[in-house]
């Protein structure tokens, strides 16, 4: 399943820059390359999510989270195709943060409410087993274990 479309990715980058990143001619966007990049980013996200989550992700709340990160991965893939990723530190760091997030998160479709988790832990465990993150873009909690590493 592809989480981001070529159209969504094109909205993040100017048409001229997108043409330079996708086509050898540098003048017209190569739709085939763009579709492959979207697919590659989605597959990478599934690979990062798989140990903790069912893939492909289908839960609406979880998709909202995943799509944000897949767009960041796809953008990095586009820039790396032309050897430009090192020049665009923000793109590179965004992709790294997304990879870290996706590899450690448990999405809403596979979690229990925070109150249930806290109720099941003893007093000594509360706060030590999981950190709960809330995203204002998503009405739900996302759990990430061992955030420090």
């Amino acid at each position: 399943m592809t989480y981001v479309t070529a159209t969504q990715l094109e909205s993040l980058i100017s048409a001229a820059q997108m043409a330079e990143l996708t086509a050898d001619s540098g003048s017209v966007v190569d739709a085939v390359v763009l579709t492959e990049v979207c697919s590659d980013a989605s597959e990478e996200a599934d690979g990062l999510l798989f140990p903790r989550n069912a893939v492909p992700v289908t839960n609406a709340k979880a998709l909202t989270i995943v799509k944000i990160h897949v767009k960041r991965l796809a953008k990095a893939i586009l820039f790396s195709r032309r050897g430009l990723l090192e020049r665009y530190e923000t793109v590179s760091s965004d992709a790294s943060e997304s990879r870290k997030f996706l590899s450690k998160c448990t999405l809403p479709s596979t979690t229990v409410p925070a109150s249930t988790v806290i109720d099941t832990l003893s007093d000594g465990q509360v706060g030590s087993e999981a950190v709960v993150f809330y995203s204002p873009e998503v009405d739900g909690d996302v759990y990430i274990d061992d955030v420090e590493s």
Side-chain angles (χ1 to χ4, degrees):
M1 174 180 180
T2 303
Y3 299 115
V4 63
T5 65
T7 303
Q8 291 169 330
L9 194 54
E10 285 178 300
S11 71
L12 302 175
I13 300 172
S14 71
Q17 190 174 31
M18 185 64 79
E20 291 174 10
L21 293 170
T22 61
D24 291 333
S25 68
S27 58
V28 178
V29 175
D30 186 331
V32 173
V33 170
L34 200 52
T35 300
E36 288 174 5
V37 167
C38 292
S39 178
D40 289 349
S42 297
E43 288 175 13
E44 181 177 354
D46 278 347
L48 293 166
L49 288 165
F50 178 69
R52 294 176 184 252
N53 301 279
V55 292
V57 176
T58 57
N59 175 282
K61 292 177 185 178
L63 279 171
T64 302
I65 297 166
V66 170
K67 285 180 180 187
I68 292 166
H69 294 285
V70 172
K71 286 177 189 176
R72 294 167 98 185
L73 296 175
K75 194 171 178 181
I77 291 169
L78 277 171
F79 280 79
S80 68
R81 288 184 73 254
R82 296 288 189 209
L84 298 172
L85 195 55
E86 292 83 28
R87 287 198 219 165
Y88 293 87
E89 191 174 313
T90 303
V91 175
S92 178
S93 66
D94 284 352
S96 293
E97 289 174 19
S98 287
R99 286 181 180 106
K100 184 176 178 180
F101 176 85
L102 292 170
S103 69
K104 293 180 181 255
C105 76
T106 303
L107 296 168
S109 63
T110 57
T111 63
V112 294
S115 58
T116 304
V117 172
I118 291 171
D119 290 343
T120 61
L121 299 174
S122 69
D123 289 338
Q125 291 177 305
V126 173
S128 66
E129 294 294 319
V131 176
V132 180
F133 284 81
Y134 173 76
S135 170
E137 298 165 358
V138 179
D139 183 24
D141 296 327
V142 177
Y143 299 88
I144 304 178
D145 296 329
D146 194 25
V147 175
E148 310 314 312
S149 60

